[in-house]
Each structure stands twice: as structure tokens, then as C-alpha cells.
Amino acid sequence: MRILSIAVNTFRENLREKLLYNLLFFALLMIGSSILLSRITLGDYHRLILDLGLASINLFGVLIAIFVGIGLVSKEVDRKTIYTIVSKPIPRYEFLLGKYCGLVITLFANTIVMVVGLLIVLQVMDVPITSLVFKSLALIFLELMVITAVAVLFSTFTSATLSAIFTLAVYMIGHLSGDLKEFSKKLDEVSQMVVNAIYYTLPNLERFNLKGHVIHHLDFGMADMALTLAYGLTYAAFLLLLASIVFQRRDFQ
Amino acid sequence: MSFEAISARRRHLLSFLTLVLLLGASLSMQYLLEQRSQGRIAKLEQLRLLPRGEILRPALLGYHQLGADLLWLRVVQVLGDRVVRDKDYDWLYHALDVITTVDPKYVYAYEAGGIVLAELASRVDLSNRLLEKGLAPNPASWQIPFRLGFNHFFHLGDHSRAAEYMAQAARIPGPFPIGPPHYTARLASRLYVQGKNPEVALEFLEAMLEQTTDELVREKLQRRIRRVSLERDLQMLERQILQYADSKGKRPASLMELVSARLLPGIPSEPYGGDYLYDSKTGKVMSSTHDERMGVYVPADSLATRGDIE
Amino acid sequence: MEHSDSILKTAGLRKTFKVGFWGRSVTALEGLDLDVRQGEVFGFLGPNGAGKTTTIKMLMGLIYPTSGQAWLFGRPIGDQESKARLGFLPESPYFYDYLTGLEFLQFYGHLFGLRGVALGKRIDELLELVGMSHARHLQLRKFSKGMLQRVGIAQALINDPELVVLDEPMSGLDPVGRKEIRDLILRLKESGKTIFFSSHILHDAELLCDRVAIILKGRQVACGRVSELIDEGVAHSVEVVIDGLGPEELARLRQMADRVIVQGSQVLVVLPSRQQVGSVLELIRGARATLVSLTPQKGSLEDLFIREVKNKQPELREAV
């Protein structure tokens, strides 16, 4: 329950973040603009609307996750608000988990707003809404959860700016690591080992990318879905535990 | 006091073990997912699933060249696999189309893509479509018209179009790597005049071989050079037989008689290690390794297929 | 642990920080031994940068000691159960400024599992106690420094703690604000709580504390009852004002006194201790002069402090 209290407080704090509304506004603008674009495109405008809508939800969700996530813990430390909380009988990991859950609630609320925007556009433009759209959205949200955990991990030991840079780097490498692994097959063994180490320890964010499946109507089975969900949640749990261990050892100066 | 210390240590150990466990679990799930998506096909699927270049371009936020580079790397991986099913080449074309839409000035992608589509995939139509797309945004590139010229000459047998493209390539100024190789202009003019001569074809092919570093294409060109030199030899032998018949009033009984009549310094060796078979009744020469002639280069334009036997 | 009534105890508590890019070690606290007992007001004194906040942060589990040990309620620091019996007000506290006074206290109440009517009642009591009932629906961003300090104390008391730790509770406040906080501390003491507070303002400590510890540059230089420290540390001087002394007596007085100030026919003499009073009185009687006044000077923590700083300074300089 203490985790919930901290989560709710974090959610309230996030709601005061002006950045959040700016990003949300742009996301809705982009989703809405697909109506205009679909008028000037030739051929398959269903595809354009889905492309643009899913991409907007994904991109802006990630931006919110990163730029709100990095301040989550470091801001509490910088502003010394953490002092009164840590001196209460609350283990540090509960604090961290509460902050994380708070941001996940924020992201959920945001994603819901964006998804409603997309669904309205799809409905208005008569684009069939398949179950695949929802699977894709679910995995986008899972990706946001993993990114948030990465941001929280970094913000337990570095400044907000550095966390932003690191998290962005992980986000980018996370999407390229599959390719890097393929590319490395042509390299020498040492390079291959390095790339494999990166590939297996960093999250493979391409696993959460079903946008192509939606556009091309490729099926994504329930078993794959379950496995991917399990993968994402396990990885997020791993990151949070690592963050807790780091956070537990930290001096708040 | 000591009790707490022990339990603290136990707690540390426990959290560390959980950490390892979680990492292990996520690794194995990652591995499982990878197995389920079956490596190579997944790679090609990814290419197929690329969004259209027009949509991808704005999403790259100005990093068009980087995006094109990464996609190109991906394409190269697929090409390296060698075993590519025919229908996969449509996806390959799609990927190349996306790359060149994202970065329309990626000359190497046009050039190499054009080669791969024409030589590996035998899809000259797609190769030409890609290369033609690259002409407008890259007016200073000789490679694209050169490659188009080659396609029209080599695969389509359209010598006049080939000559036009070669002339276009020859007009690009500058020394070799920037401008076209020195022989381009000569090739263009010879193509205009005597496009169907195997000597011209060989000259063209040798020139291509000289400036191509890609092993696959080199091998392909070398094969073709051998095949065309076989045709050249056959034509040359038949020409000499005709000349022999003109001067002596009868066909030679064997090819050796051409040598003894000093029409030839010797019988050329068959490029595939076979023999030249001569039919004294018809005056035709055949190869023991290839029983078909190359259509384009046969003066009568007979309908022979242009397949290689190797 | 030996004393059953020992609420807060440290033994050889030490903290070094790594600073800068190269991780140079800086000692913030060098072997601190404290023992705070049940029901007392304990002052933890020292100039800014002496290591007071570092010590309190260690006690609150915000930073970890480099070596040494500390116990709260007989349990090693960091123990969650002892934290439940603790209230803490950090130095110049920063709180979530978007919350109202009520929401702020509700949040901390929830952290202790307090809910509903019980929590509402507790919050009413606390706002009343710190005199902040009027600010219940005001956002913390609109609070003055004194109001923040008071609502911060309310936050520290939400769990009805046995030990209240206050870091510089009086700093940055105007005289009225300081008086209010002092009264609050005394009221808490009356209700049986143990109070440990740090301050660099000695006057406050003198008025409030049963016992004090003084640290300078990370080292403990004195510890004990305020009256004892003053008595043993500072010899009590005496000020004597005399009228009508001749120049000869004046010369003799100058040998005995620390200072002699002549103002017209009157002379102000400052004697280093009470022992000289007898001979001065004899001198006055012999010279037939008039004794205008005789005031024994009470020593203050300030004197002790300044003397300690003077004593320790050369040694500390060497150590650094």
C-alpha cells in the first residue's frame, strides 16, 4: 500500500509536468494529421493512417517515458524530497517501485488518450480495427514499461541529463541490436562476442514492434504474444531489481 | 547485532541470485523468441515489412543517410545468404526502393542493387526500374547510366538503347573514379555502329570486369566472357571456312585444313576445355560443351537461348 | 545498548566522502560518540560544515557510515522498525510544493499505513499543534519559510514518534519564528518525547537543551550538561565599577584585572575570576573609594565555543 501511495503521489506530480501535455498534444496532432495526409496519398490510405498512428503513439510514449522517467528519482534526490521518505520505515526499493508504478500509471493514462484518438480516426476513416492493432498497442506499452525501467535504473546513479543520454542510447541500440548481431556474423570472433554480449544483455526492443505485422496483416500468434509479454516483464523486473540494488547502496548527499 | 549482519548478507545474496535468475530467464525467452521467428526468413520479412520510403523519410528526422546506410547493411546481409528464393527478390527490390527513396543520392545502392537484381536475380526489369529512378537525382553519376547501358546490351540485347546510355555515361566529366573509364566513349560509338559483334561484346565485358570488384559479379562476367569468346571463336572459324570455300571452291574436310591453308595460326582452344566440332556437310562449327549458339551474336539472329551450361 | 534508556547511540562513527573526479577522500566526520537518553533535549552543535548534517543523515539511513556504528532504540541504524518510532525534519526542508498542507500530511500518513478517520484526526491535532490549521488547503509553494518549517515538524510527528530529530530547525527564521519553534520543542519534551536537534545558533541551544555535544570540523570537542560545560570550561569573570580611585590604586588594579576602563571619576574593572574579588574590595576600602556595582559574569556556550575553536584551530590546521 505504501508503494501505491508513492505511485499515486508520483502520478499527481507527473500530471503537473508541462512537457507531458506538450508531447501529448503533438502526438494527437500527428494522429489527426493522418486524416489530411490520407486525402493526398494514392492507393492504400488505411496503411498510412495505421502507420502514422502507431508510430506516433510509440514515439511520443517513448519520449514521455524517457523525459519524465529520468527525473523520477534524480529530481527527488536533487530537491531533497527523498530525505523525509527514506527516513520513514520504507525500504528504498519500495520507494523506487512506487515511483516506477507512478510513471507507468501516467504512461497508461497517456497511451489511453492517444489510443482513443487513434481509434476515433480509424473509425471516422472507416479503417478496419483488427485485434492485431490491439496486440501491437499492448506491445508498444510493454516497450514503454521497459524503457521506463531503463530510465529509472540510470536515474538512480547519474544526473538527469546523463540518464537521458544513456536511456536514448539504450533505446536506439535496443532497436538495432538484432541487426548488429546479424552484421557481426561477418566480423572476427572478438567483435562477435562483444556484439553478442550487447545483444543479450540489452533489451531487444524490436521484439515489441508489431507495426509491420499490422500494416501487412501478418498474424502474431497468442503463444508469441505471451512469450513476448513474459520477456518484457521479466526484463523490466530485472532492471528494477538492479536499480534497487544500486539505489540501496547510494548515499544521498 | 551479528544476527542482523547475517540476515543482511543473506538478503544481498538473495537479491543477487534473483538478479541472475531474471537475466537468465529473459535471455532464454529472447532466445526462444529468436528460434520461433526462424532467422533468415525473419530477416527477409523485415525487409518486406519496411514502410514505404515516403513514410520512413520524415520519420528519420533528418538522419536519412544514416537510415539508408543501416537499411543497406541489412540488405547486404540478405544478399550474403546466396540462397534466396525468387519471390524474395520482390522484397529486395522493395528494400532498395525504400533505401533510394530515403536517400535518393545513394549512388552505390543503385549501382550494386542494379547489379544484384540483374545478375543474381535475373530481374533485369527491376534492375532497370531501380537504375532509371536514380538517373534524375544523380545527374553527375556515370555509374548509373553505365550500368543501364550494360543491362540493355547484355541482358536485353537492345544495342541502340545501350549505346545511348553509354554515351550519357561518357559525357560525365572528370578522371576515372569521378568520371567514367576512358573507354566508355569508344564503347558507346562502337555499340551504335556494330552492336552485335561479339568482339565489341567482349571488349565491353572486359571493361566491366576491370572496374568491378564484387566477386559475385566478376564471376558472372567471367562466365559470360568465356561464353562470348566461345561464340567469337565459332564465328571466326565459320568465317574462315567460308573464306576457304570461296577460294578453293569446296569446304575444308577438317578444321586443321584451315591451319594448313594458313588461314589460321592454329585452332583456338575451346574456353570450356572441350573441342570444336566441324560438320563438313553444313559448314557449321559446334562446341562439344555447348550445343546451342548465343542468339544475339549469331549474325542470322537465330532463336537460340542464351543459357550457360556450367 | 548498555543503557536501557539509551535512545540514540553512536560509537566511533566516521564518514569520508570521495569528492571530485579523482575521488579524493574528504573526512566529514571523525569518530563520533554520542549517547542520547530517553526524554531529554539534546543539542548537536557546531559551526556550518562541522559535520552535523552528515551525522544526522547517517542516523536517518540516508548515507552509510564509512566505519563505526550507531543504534536507534538499541537497534542498528537502517532498521525499519526503529524508523517507525522516529520523526525527522531535514535541514531547510524541500517538500512536494504542489500539495496542500492537508494532502502533504495525508501522503506521509499513508506511508505509515494511517488512513481514514484516524488519519484525519491526527492531522487536525498536528496542524493545531504547529499552529497551521489555517493553511490546511493552501499549497506548500505559497508557504513562508516558517510555515514550511512548522508543517515539516508536523510531518515528522505524524507517526507519534518517540524520538524527534530536527536538523537546524531554527535557521533562516525570524525571532518570532524561532521563539515558536523553541516553544514547540519544549511542548514536545513535555509530552515525553526525546528531541535531538542540530544548530549553529548557541543561544537557542542554551535555552532548550539538557545536554549538548559540540563538534568542530568533524571532531567532537565537548559533550555534557550545558551548565557543567560552562562551569568547567569558562572561569567566571567579574565586572566591578568603582568611583573615586587614586592613580596609585589604579596602577595596582591594572595588575590584577583583565581590563581597566576609566570613564571620568569611575573605573570599570574586569576581573578574570572570582578569586580576585576579595583583594579588590580591600583595595577599595583602603583607598576609601566607593563600590558602585559588582556583577558576576555568567559564562555562555558562546564563550566555550569560541575558546574551543581557538584551542583547536592550530591542531586542526595541522591535521588538514
Side-chain angles (χ1 to χ4, degrees):
Chain A
M1 280 311 94
R2 295 182 296 212
I3 295 177
L4 193 68
S5 303
I6 294 171
V8 169
N9 190 49
T10 306
F11 177 58
R12 292 172 69 156
E13 192 184 356
N14 289 339
L15 288 187
R16 307 189 53 82
E17 198 91 46
K18 288 196 181 65
L19 179 76
L20 195 74
Y21 297 101
N22 289 332
L23 290 175
L24 198 59
F25 173 73
F26 279 111
L28 290 174
L29 205 65
M30 267 185 78
I31 295 169
S33 72
S34 63
I35 297 181
L36 286 177
L37 288 176
S38 67
R39 294 216 178 117
I40 54 170
T41 190
L42 285 174
D44 195 358
Y45 71 86
H46 288 185
R47 186 189 145 129
L48 181 90
I49 292 174
L50 280 169
D51 262 351
L52 207 57
L54 291 174
S56 307
I57 293 173
N58 200 171
L59 179 70
F60 285 97
V62 166
L63 288 179
I64 293 170
I66 292 180
F67 287 101
V68 181
I70 49 157
L72 216 52
V73 176
S74 55
K75 209 154 73 185
E76 294 260 350
V77 177
D78 289 345
R79 279 160 43 177
K80 302 182 180 173
T81 42
I82 196 169
Y83 288 7
T84 41
I85 295 176
V86 171
S87 68
K88 304 271 182 279
I90 290 138
R92 289 188 185 185
Y93 72 85
E94 281 192 15
F95 171 77
L96 208 61
L97 228 54
K99 295 301 286 185
Y100 177 76
C101 291
L103 183 50
V104 169
I105 296 171
T106 310
L107 284 170
F108 189 72
N110 272 287
T111 311
I112 290 292
V113 171
M114 292 192 277
V115 168
V116 167
L118 177 65
L119 291 180
I120 289 172
V121 170
L122 292 179
Q123 195 69 47
V124 167
M125 299 305 290
D126 253 352
V127 181
I129 301 168
T130 59
S131 67
L132 210 49
V133 173
F134 291 102
K135 281 183 188 169
S136 168
L137 287 168
L139 290 193
I140 284 175
F141 188 69
L142 192 65
E143 178 178 7
L144 299 186
M145 285 176 70
V146 172
I147 295 285
T148 308
V150 173
V152 166
L153 171 61
F154 284 124
S155 85
T156 54
F157 62 90
T158 57
S159 68
T161 320
L162 280 178
S163 318
I165 294 168
F166 290 153
T167 312
L168 269 173
V170 169
Y171 174 65
M172 276 158 55
I173 297 171
H175 274 287
L176 297 176
S177 64
D179 285 336
L180 286 177
K181 187 163 171 275
E182 285 301 320
F183 300 164
S184 76
K185 283 182 182 159
K186 303 241 163 98
L187 300 175
D188 57 293
E189 269 182 32
V190 180
S191 318
Q192 274 197 39
M193 271 166 64
V194 172
V195 173
N196 275 337
I198 292 174
Y199 178 73
Y200 283 111
T201 44
L202 292 187
N204 185 349
L205 298 176
E206 273 300 311
R207 293 269 172 249
F208 309 130
N209 186 1
L210 287 192
K211 292 189 278 294
H213 288 73
V214 175
I215 306 303
H216 297 279
H217 311 292
L218 300 176
D219 195 34
F220 193 68
M222 264 348 236
D224 282 317
M225 189 73 190
L227 196 58
T228 310
L229 279 172
Y231 168 64
L233 293 175
T234 312
Y235 199 86
F238 163 74
L239 289 171
L240 288 174
L241 181 60
L242 192 61
S244 300
I245 291 173
V246 173
F247 199 55
Q248 184 63 40
R249 287 159 188 267
R250 178 157 175 197
D251 275 354
F252 301 116
Q253 293 179 32
Chain B
M1 179 56 225
S2 62
F3 169 74
E4 261 105 2
I6 287 169
S7 81
R9 191 174 301 164
R10 194 171 292 167
R11 233 184 1 251
H12 284 156
L13 192 70
L14 197 69
S15 54
F16 180 73
L17 282 178
T18 319
L19 197 68
V20 173
L21 203 73
L22 284 172
L23 185 64
S26 76
L27 285 191
S28 42
M29 277 186 266
Q30 155 108 300
Y31 187 73
L32 213 62
L33 278 166
E34 201 171 298
Q35 295 308 100
R36 290 178 71 92
S37 59
Q38 301 159 14
R40 193 187 61 83
I41 292 169
K43 259 194 297 178
L44 280 167
E45 298 246 338
Q46 282 176 348
L47 287 182
R48 185 182 145 190
L49 297 185
L50 276 178
R52 278 181 302 179
E54 293 83 3
I55 291 169
L56 192 62
R57 215 178 127 80
L60 286 170
L61 305 169
Y63 296 98
H64 305 141
Q65 287 71 24
L66 179 66
D69 282 337
L70 290 172
L71 287 176
W72 174 250
L73 271 170
R74 231 186 228 190
V75 166
V76 171
Q77 304 314 307
V78 178
L79 295 182
D81 284 350
R82 288 269 194 151
V83 196
V84 184
R85 290 165 300 171
D86 280 350
K87 60 169 184 155
D88 294 345
Y89 285 115
D90 284 321
W91 303 349
L92 178 65
Y93 172 72
H94 172 62
L96 288 166
D97 184 44
V98 170
I99 292 171
T100 51
T101 303
V102 168
D103 183 4
K105 291 188 180 299
Y106 203 159
V107 173
Y108 188 72
Y110 292 110
E111 198 194 347
I115 293 174
V116 168
L117 285 170
E119 312 303 330
L120 273 175
S122 302
R123 292 294 300 269
V124 187
D125 54 331
L126 295 179
S127 173
N128 282 348
R129 209 193 295 171
L130 181 73
L131 289 164
E132 276 157 18
K133 181 184 162 197
L135 281 176
N138 299 289
S141 145
W142 60 268
Q143 291 94 335
I144 295 172
F146 193 96
R147 192 26 80 177
L148 272 167
F150 180 76
N151 276 355
H152 280 89
F153 162 77
F154 188 78
H155 294 292
L156 301 176
D158 184 346
H159 299 110
S160 58
R161 289 287 299 280
E164 275 167 35
Y165 281 122
M166 276 305 174
Q168 191 180 339
R171 277 195 294 274
I172 310 291
F176 166 54
I178 302 156
H182 58 88
Y183 46 76
T184 312
R186 194 159 42 88
L187 267 176
S189 59
R190 290 196 65 186
L191 277 171
Y192 273 122
V193 183
Q194 35 176 180
K196 296 180 181 181
N197 188 335
E199 297 282 351
V200 181
L202 272 177
E203 192 178 339
F204 198 158
L205 291 168
E206 301 277 4
M208 288 297 297
L209 186 65
E210 198 180 304
Q211 53 144 320
T212 307
T213 49
D214 189 285
E215 269 312 311
L216 262 162
V217 180
R218 282 183 71 88
E219 193 196 316
K220 188 96 180 167
L221 282 170
Q222 276 158 346
R223 271 200 229 171
R224 189 49 64 106
I225 286 170
R226 239 185 298 174
R227 186 72 179 89
V228 176
S229 26
L230 171 66
E231 184 60 40
R232 180 197 57 191
D233 289 353
L234 289 173
Q235 285 193 22
M236 190 266 294
L237 288 169
E238 283 175 355
R239 249 195 333 269
Q240 298 307 328
I241 289 163
L242 277 179
Q243 203 177 337
Y244 185 95
D246 277 355
S247 60
K248 306 238 165 156
K250 61 168 176 96
R251 295 195 180 106
S254 72
L255 289 176
M256 282 314 289
E257 280 181 24
L258 293 173
V259 180
S260 46
R262 295 181 180 273
L263 283 168
L264 284 175
I267 306 285
S269 59
E270 206 263 6
Y272 295 91
D275 297 310
Y276 289 114
L277 308 173
Y278 170 57
D279 183 349
S280 59
K281 290 194 184 73
T282 60
K284 295 277 171 206
V285 186
M286 297 284 286
S287 157
S288 61
T289 53
H290 290 69
D291 52 5
E292 283 169 337
R293 298 288 293 267
M294 291 181 81
V296 180
Y297 307 103
V298 174
D301 267 341
S302 65
L303 284 169
T305 53
R306 58 179 178 86
D308 294 330
I309 298 164
E310 263 182 74
Chain C
M1 288 186 85
E2 310 88 82
H3 297 279
S4 57
D5 63 348
S6 172
I7 299 287
L8 186 164
K9 189 167 156 60
T10 71
L13 204 58
R14 206 169 149 269
K15 179 73 188 176
T16 55
F17 288 113
K18 300 259 186 252
V19 292
F21 182 74
W22 304 105
R24 192 166 53 89
S25 278
V26 169
T27 303
L29 193 67
E30 188 90 64
L32 182 71
D33 300 292
L34 291 177
D35 190 3
V36 180
R37 311 229 175 87
Q38 168 87 55
E40 69 179 350
V41 177
F42 192 95
F44 189 47
L45 311 175
N48 290 327
K52 301 189 297 288
T53 298
T54 303
T55 308
I56 290 179
K57 278 184 181 174
M58 277 192 276
L59 294 172
M60 296 302 111
L62 290 164
I63 59 178
Y64 296 100
T66 308
S67 62
Q69 287 171 321
W71 300 266
L72 291 169
F73 308 104
R75 290 164 168 277
I77 44 170
D79 184 90
Q80 300 299 344
E81 275 175 53
S82 57
K83 277 185 178 173
R85 299 157 71 184
L86 184 75
F88 171 50
L89 172 74
E91 182 182 7
S92 37
Y94 301 83
F95 300 121
Y96 304 107
D97 58 6
Y98 49 88
L99 297 177
T100 66
L102 178 67
E103 289 165 340
F104 172 74
L105 292 176
Q106 273 171 345
F107 172 64
Y108 285 99
H110 290 160
L111 294 185
F112 281 100
L114 297 170
R115 311 238 146 223
V117 185
L119 178 60
K121 218 174 133 234
R122 179 80 193 138
I123 290 171
D124 288 344
E125 280 169 22
L126 285 173
L127 286 174
E128 185 67 34
L129 177 73
V130 297
M132 291 287 291
S133 299
H134 62 285
R136 158 189 294 267
H137 295 298
L138 194 65
Q139 276 191 331
L140 261 60
R141 66 172 76 236
K142 295 177 181 137
F143 277 29
S144 71
K145 176 112 187 161
M147 288 163 83
L148 273 180
Q149 207 76 336
R150 281 187 282 168
V151 85
I153 290 178
Q155 162 276 130
L157 298 174
I158 193 90
N159 56 329
D160 196 15
E162 293 162 54
L163 170 66
V164 184
V165 176
L166 309 167
D167 194 2
E168 297 280 5
M170 264 90 69
S171 77
L173 298 183
D174 57 23
V176 180
R178 282 163 60 181
K179 168 91 167 56
E180 281 170 357
I181 301 290
R182 278 203 306 268
D183 292 347
L184 199 56
I185 291 175
L186 288 175
R187 233 178 301 159
L188 291 176
K189 182 193 156 104
E190 274 165 32
S191 64
K193 302 196 187 310
T194 309
I195 290 131
F196 180 88
F197 77 94
S198 74
S199 181
H200 65 275
I201 303 168
L202 299 160
H203 181 64
D204 295 330
E206 227 173 306
L207 291 174
L208 285 171
C209 296
D210 299 307
R211 289 195 307 140
V212 297
I214 299 176
I215 62 166
L216 275 175
K217 301 213 166 174
R219 287 167 198 234
Q220 188 174 340
V221 293
C223 182
R225 301 209 146 266
V226 177
S227 54
E228 284 167 15
L229 280 178
I230 292 171
D231 280 341
E232 61 187 55
V234 185
H236 292 216
S237 60
V238 182
E239 274 182 21
V240 190
V241 182
I242 311 160
D243 196 10
L245 272 182
E248 192 186 316
E249 288 86 5
L250 209 59
R252 277 178 56 202
L253 258 182
R254 280 186 203 278
Q255 287 168 356
M256 281 187 272
D258 272 353
R259 266 187 302 169
V260 177
I261 298 160
V262 184
Q263 247 179 352
S265 63
Q266 290 199 347
V267 184
L268 171 76
V269 184
V270 181
L271 300 171
S273 71
R274 289 170 191 170
Q275 285 146 12
Q276 285 93 0
V277 173
S279 40
V280 171
L281 286 178
E282 262 171 48
L283 191 132
I284 293 169
R285 218 174 288 139
R288 295 177 189 276
T290 325
L291 175 67
V292 179
S293 70
L294 190 147
T295 327
Q297 293 295 294
K298 198 171 155 246
S300 72
L301 271 176
E302 196 116 16
D303 299 321
L304 172 74
F305 202 77
I306 288 163
R307 205 198 45 190
E308 289 290 347
V309 172
K310 276 184 189 153
N311 287 352
K312 291 283 168 178
Q313 217 69 300
E315 178 198 331
L316 283 171
R317 243 179 245 132
E318 273 168 43
V320 173

